Amino acid sequence: MDYEAIVIGGGHAGIEAALALARLGRKTLLITQNPDAIGRMSCNPSVGGLGKGNLVRELDALGGEMAKLIDASMVQFRILNRSRGPAVQAPRAQADKQLYSGLARKAVESQGGLSILMDTVVDLIASADGRRVEGVITERGSRIGARAVVLCAGTFMESRLFIGTWSERGGRLGEAAALGLGSALMVRGFPVGRLKTGTPARIKAASIDFSRLEPDYGEGMEAFSFANDRVDRPVMPCWITWTNEETHAVIRANIGGSPLFSGKIVGRGPRYCPSIEDKVFRFPERVRHQVFLEPEGAYTDEVYLNGISTSLPEAVQEAFIHTMIGLEKAQVVRPGYAVEYDYVDPKALSPSLESRLMGGLFLAGQTNGTSGYEEAAVQGLLAGINAARFLGGEEAMTMPRSEAYIGVLVDDLTTLGVKEPYRMFTSRAERRLSLRCDTADRRLTPLGRAIGLVDGERWSRFERKLQGLDEIQALLSARRISHADAAQDSFLSPHVGESAADALCDPNVGGGAARLVPSLGGRFPEDWLETVRLDLRYAGYAAREARVAARFDRAENLRIPVDFDYALVEGLSAEAREKLEAQRPRDLGQAARIPGVRRADAALLMVVLLRATREKG
């Protein structure tokens, strides 16, 4: 064998897979069409978001690279859903795209045991019986052997670009498609399908009238990675504008030029990141849609128009962009476009992300039907870890849904499959209070250490944090609320004689741990104090989540009446309600297995069904 492992693709999945394999001591080759594009952000210049930020924190706890890369390249940071509960909050950071990609390439190039080859893989080398992978065949005719292969082709496999009536082979605008491999997989019996994604136009910053736009500076820099205490980076503002009735009129008048509506694109696009033409026709009652103007980085004058992904003709794009406040004279540098590409049905994978059809072949990222950098990266890490364990004859690492968003993601993919690009949301997790983004290190760093991706320095840092959290909780438990405290804050009156830890469980008691025990503020980081406060306040809710999950496992055979009104289930997602009403499952277990019905939706349905059963006696 020429190498122990080969990773196909230098995107976010390929980076994590290749680094994990090399760091675990496996001689690895990363094959990419263009080393200059390693870690390139094809679409939005950001990392994180609802559910996605949790994935990045979990990846970091296990020893992955993405959180470190965004810490070193961010230009803005915020916690989404700050006004809501901690279970649905998540970090998101804007990135300097060129810097991020450069740092990613440097991480790969400097990693011992990892080589890079510029080429395109067109087929796999299989064993005589076809049941094991033995290497790859490249476009230039090279046959490179390896006992493990990780396929991370992203949106490039048999991909085609669309702008209006124009169409051409390509994975990104100006970059060639990876031709041959998708067809080869189909011939070998892999369940290959087509999906679609898209991106908006980029415009020249100097052509924007920022005086008419609302600025957004974020919330101050915070670290994504648990390895960093702080981030010292210059802040770049984003800006906000809106579509309007004139924008929508231009789109409606030219909808025939959209390949989405003309039938040229057959692959389904992401439900939760639709094109602007989709939004206009799916939500005709909406008079406007928000558009975030996001800088691509300090290296360029280009601005990304988040919220108006499109594949309409270029003249139409320019026309509807000019209808928006502040963009009347905007100069389009790069048009928006759609990409249609091959993916492999992830139901053909085991929970380790190894193919059920060919041993030693692992698949990760958008090749598995997911959307987004973050979903791709965590799959790449998991596939890389399990490829290394496969090579060593070790048992594969799998992650339960109850322990990580990564587990939720992989379980959804491998058991339900996808009909559209899968996107992670907090609502997909049944135990999201236990899977808060601030708890990722406590949940997964020990696992990362056991695997071999968390080094001694990182482990010592983690142990110091655990010791600090224990000390904070002990000090809060020892401090008693006095009548003098109650005189200063009436909300403390019900807690006189109780510990400060008990008082913090009351949502009416504000100010945090340092307010009740002032000495804590100078001794421990603020994020440690906040973690303890959240642990205390939501301990009961987390326990209830665990009980509901256990009850659900016992209630799969619960019958659903044929005329059941799903509108009765308060909190049910719109997608779940649509799918349930269409398919009318006979029991809870069947309902839970419908693609698009999340375990959280099924848990809500279970509660209503059990209540109805009790009321009937």
Side-chain angles (χ1 to χ4, degrees):
M1 290 293 177
D2 303 300
Y3 291 88
E4 291 183 277
I6 294 172
V7 176
I8 303 171
H12 304 283
I15 290 166
E16 299 293 347
L19 289 174
L21 276 158
R23 288 168 178 172
L24 292 173
R26 301 298 172 182
K27 184 182 178 184
T28 303
L29 175 67
L30 172 64
I31 302 178
T32 175
Q33 291 181 288
N34 182 5
D36 292 335
I38 289 174
R40 182 168 290 170
M41 291 178 158
S42 303
C43 199
N44 56 304
S46 67
V47 166
L50 302 179
K52 295 170 176 283
N54 303 64
L55 288 173
V56 178
R57 285 274 173 85
E58 291 179 352
L59 177 144
D60 182 69
L62 288 169
E65 195 71 17
M66 177 173 271
K68 297 175 185 175
L69 294 175
I70 188 61
D71 279 358
S73 61
M74 71 170 65
V75 297
Q76 191 183 118
F77 179 92
R78 68 167 54 253
I79 297 292
L80 301 182
N81 276 348
R82 178 79 79 176
S83 62
R84 301 182 64 189
V88 295
Q89 295 178 3
R92 184 177 188 267
Q94 297 294 130
D96 183 309
K97 291 175 69 169
Q98 188 177 70
L99 179 57
Y100 184 99
S101 178
L103 292 168
R105 181 176 181 176
K106 183 177 180 180
V108 171
E109 289 180 334
S110 62
Q111 177 60 51
L114 176 57
S115 301
I116 300 171
L117 174 66
M118 183 176 178
D119 206 340
T120 300
V121 173
V122 296
D123 201 356
L124 304 174
I125 301 172
S127 59
D129 60 8
R131 299 178 64 181
R132 298 185 314 279
V133 73
E134 293 186 347
V136 302
I137 301 172
T138 74
E139 189 175 56
R140 297 197 297 270
S142 298
R143 297 176 64 89
I144 307 171
R147 288 198 299 122
V149 173
V150 185
L151 173 55
C152 312
T155 64
F156 281 72
M157 199 160 63
E158 313 295 341
S159 57
R160 180 172 287 276
L161 307 176
F162 296 86
I163 305 173
T165 58
W166 177 86
S167 179
E168 185 59 78
R169 289 288 188 181
R172 276 187 293 254
L173 197 61
E175 297 183 42
L179 303 178
L181 184 55
S183 300
L185 291 174
M186 194 177 297
V187 169
R188 293 182 181 278
F190 285 79
V192 177
R194 298 287 278 178
L195 289 176
K196 169 263 175 187
T197 189
T199 191
R202 277 70 159 175
I203 61 176
K204 183 176 177 61
S207 68
I208 300 170
D209 185 355
F210 289 108
S211 68
R212 304 184 66 199
L213 302 180
E214 177 187 346
D216 183 341
Y217 289 89
E219 300 178 347
M221 297 296 194
E222 295 182 24
F224 242 104
S225 174
F226 293 105
N228 295 323
D229 292 322
R230 58 193 294 270
V231 171
D232 186 15
R233 292 273 305 151
V235 175
M236 297 183 70
C238 295
W239 304 82
I240 299 171
T241 189
W242 301 82
T243 65
N244 52 56
E245 289 283 15
E246 186 182 357
T247 314
H248 301 174
V250 172
I251 291 169
R252 283 191 290 266
N254 293 277
I255 199 63
S258 169
L260 291 174
F261 286 78
S262 67
K264 290 184 177 179
I265 295 177
V266 298
R268 291 193 59 176
R271 171 187 294 259
Y272 297 104
C273 189
S275 67
I276 186 60
E277 49 265 43
D278 263 343
K279 291 179 183 178
V280 169
F281 276 83
R282 284 171 53 188
F283 310 106
E285 73 284 357
R286 296 281 296 275
V287 297
R288 65 177 191 169
H289 297 279
Q290 193 173 59
V291 181
F292 278 92
L293 281 66
E294 301 174 343
E296 299 260 281
Y299 71 99
T300 181
D301 194 39
E302 288 185 44
V303 173
Y304 177 91
L305 299 179
N306 192 340
I308 53 172
S309 169
T310 184
S311 55
L312 284 164
E314 292 184 60
V316 179
Q317 293 185 38
E318 186 171 353
F320 79 66
I321 288 171
H322 286 170
T323 66
M324 289 181 273
I325 292 175
L327 307 186
E328 293 87 351
K329 298 181 179 180
Q331 297 178 22
V332 175
V333 179
R334 303 176 197 237
Y337 60 91
V339 188
E340 190 180 50
Y341 57 95
D342 278 2
Y343 81 104
V344 177
D345 185 345
K347 287 188 292 186
L349 305 177
S350 72
S352 68
L353 298 182
E354 184 180 11
S355 169
R356 298 183 189 274
L357 301 177
M358 185 177 287
L361 174 65
F362 296 80
L363 284 77
Q366 287 178 283
T367 305
N368 291 341
T370 59
S371 67
Y373 315 139
E374 303 84 359
E375 291 91 343
V378 296
Q379 290 176 73
L381 180 71
L382 182 64
I385 290 170
N386 281 326
R389 296 176 77 83
F390 169 84
L391 291 167
E394 301 172 85
E395 182 179 355
M397 183 191 86
T398 57
M399 307 187 75
R401 300 178 65 96
S402 59
E403 293 182 9
Y405 274 91
I406 300 173
V408 174
L409 169 68
V410 173
D411 184 56
D412 282 351
L413 291 176
T414 58
T415 60
L416 301 177
V418 297
K419 298 297 183 184
E420 60 196 31
Y422 178 101
R423 179 177 179 176
M424 178 52 68
F425 288 107
T426 53
S427 57
R428 295 191 188 274
E430 304 77 45
R431 300 190 64 184
R432 53 185 177 270
L433 264 174
S434 302
L435 304 184
R436 302 191 320 259
C437 57
D438 65 292
T439 68
D441 59 338
R442 286 185 290 165
R443 289 184 280 114
L444 299 179
T445 302
L447 179 57
R449 177 67 170 172
I451 292 166
L453 291 177
V454 173
D455 61 23
E457 181 181 349
R458 180 75 177 269
W459 182 248
S460 296
R461 179 187 179 90
F462 174 68
E463 289 185 313
R464 289 194 299 273
K465 179 177 179 179
L466 290 185
Q467 185 177 5
L469 296 178
D470 287 342
E471 189 173 348
I472 292 167
Q473 186 145 354
L475 290 169
L476 288 168
S477 297
R479 161 75 157 93
R480 296 289 155 179
I481 303 300
S482 66
H483 288 287
D485 296 321
Q488 294 181 358
D489 185 348
S490 61
F491 288 121
L492 291 174
S493 296
H495 305 291
V496 171
E498 296 179 358
S499 69
D502 291 332
L504 279 177
C505 295
D506 184 346
N508 293 315
V509 175
R515 178 174 170 272
L516 298 180
V517 183
S519 62
L520 290 174
R523 294 178 57 186
F524 300 100
E526 182 59 37
D527 61 311
W528 294 14
L529 300 178
E530 179 63 7
T531 288
V532 172
R533 184 187 73 85
L534 294 176
D535 285 349
L536 293 168
R537 182 157 294 180
Y538 293 99
Y541 293 100
R544 185 172 67 182
E545 273 187 349
R547 291 194 298 270
V548 169
R551 285 169 61 197
F552 179 81
D553 290 340
R554 297 193 297 268
E556 280 205 330
N557 295 320
L558 195 61
R559 302 290 291 187
I560 302 176
V562 293
D563 59 348
F564 184 79
D565 184 0
Y566 290 99
L568 297 174
V569 186
E570 186 177 351
L572 199 64
S573 70
E575 180 185 4
R577 183 173 287 110
E578 176 187 325
K579 297 290 183 67
L580 290 166
E581 288 175 346
Q583 298 195 28
R584 290 285 165 184
R586 67 176 181 273
D587 57 44
L588 186 64
Q590 191 179 70
R593 288 187 287 275
I594 295 174
V597 176
R598 306 159 189 164
R599 286 289 293 252
D601 293 318
L604 290 169
L605 179 58
M606 178 194 70
V607 171
V608 173
L609 292 171
L610 288 174
R611 185 186 303 134
T613 301
R614 288 194 300 269
E615 290 173 354
K616 287 181 179 180

